[in-house]
Amino acid sequence: MMLLVDTSVWSLALRRDVVVAQPEVRYLEQALVGSQTVVTTGLVFQELLQGFSGPKARAQIIDRFSMLPLVQPDRQDHVDAASLRTTCRRGGVQIGTIDALLAQLCIRHQLTLLTTDQDFTHAARHCRLRIWRP
């Protein structure tokens, strides 16, 4: 299984001030040392850089993420993400623009999304998005 890890999980995993026992964080830790392929995208990378302050935290994030394969959206991903967002909205689910693009990247590249954000779980009922479940 190939994983795209959402900002919600990375934020918890990279925190130093608390020990996080959420299953998604434990699974990420196992995936990083196991045989799983963990990928990222520029949107998640940027959100993390914006969310952590200080040059040391920034340098650590840049260093850690340099080892992960980077999945980049193309023009068609944006078209398909807009359609995905419309489909979800018609089904009564609001999903943000960035979340729709992340979901589309997962669908196109056959990735499983590792997230704690329930918006993705609701969206997955209306598209082929695969969400990791404990």
Side-chain angles (χ1 to χ4, degrees):
M1 173 181 357
M2 291 181 41
L3 291 175
L4 176 67
V5 181
D6 181 39
T7 307
S8 62
V9 176
W10 281 117
S11 294
L12 292 170
L14 295 173
R15 289 186 64 168
R16 297 281 185 225
D17 56 344
V18 294
V19 175
V20 180
Q22 286 188 277
E24 292 84 359
V25 173
R26 287 195 309 267
Y27 190 76
L28 172 59
E29 291 168 351
Q30 293 169 359
L32 289 169
V33 297
S35 61
Q36 300 276 351
T37 300
V38 177
V39 303
T40 194
T41 188
L43 296 167
V44 171
F45 184 49
Q46 182 178 340
E47 284 180 329
L48 284 170
L49 288 171
Q50 292 170 178
F52 284 84
S53 60
K56 185 176 180 180
R58 178 182 175 86
Q60 287 176 340
I61 291 169
I62 291 170
D63 183 56
R64 288 179 181 173
F65 274 69
S66 69
M67 296 178 243
L68 299 177
L70 188 66
V71 176
Q72 298 187 46
D74 63 16
R75 184 180 310 266
Q76 190 61 46
D77 286 318
H78 291 282
V79 171
D80 293 342
S83 296
L84 187 150
R85 191 167 186 261
T86 300
T87 298
C88 287
R89 188 174 60 242
R90 286 184 182 146
V93 174
Q94 294 286 54
I95 183 171
T97 300
I98 290 175
D99 289 352
L101 186 55
L102 292 177
Q104 172 54 34
L105 287 172
C106 286
I107 292 166
R108 178 165 68 106
H109 294 283
Q110 299 178 349
L111 305 169
T112 299
L113 183 65
L114 184 60
T115 185
T116 60
D117 186 339
Q118 291 302 305
D119 289 345
F120 287 111
T121 304
H122 300 304
R125 295 183 193 128
H126 302 280
C127 62
R128 298 181 333 232
L129 175 62
R130 293 188 313 232
I131 306 285
W132 180 85
R133 289 177 177 45

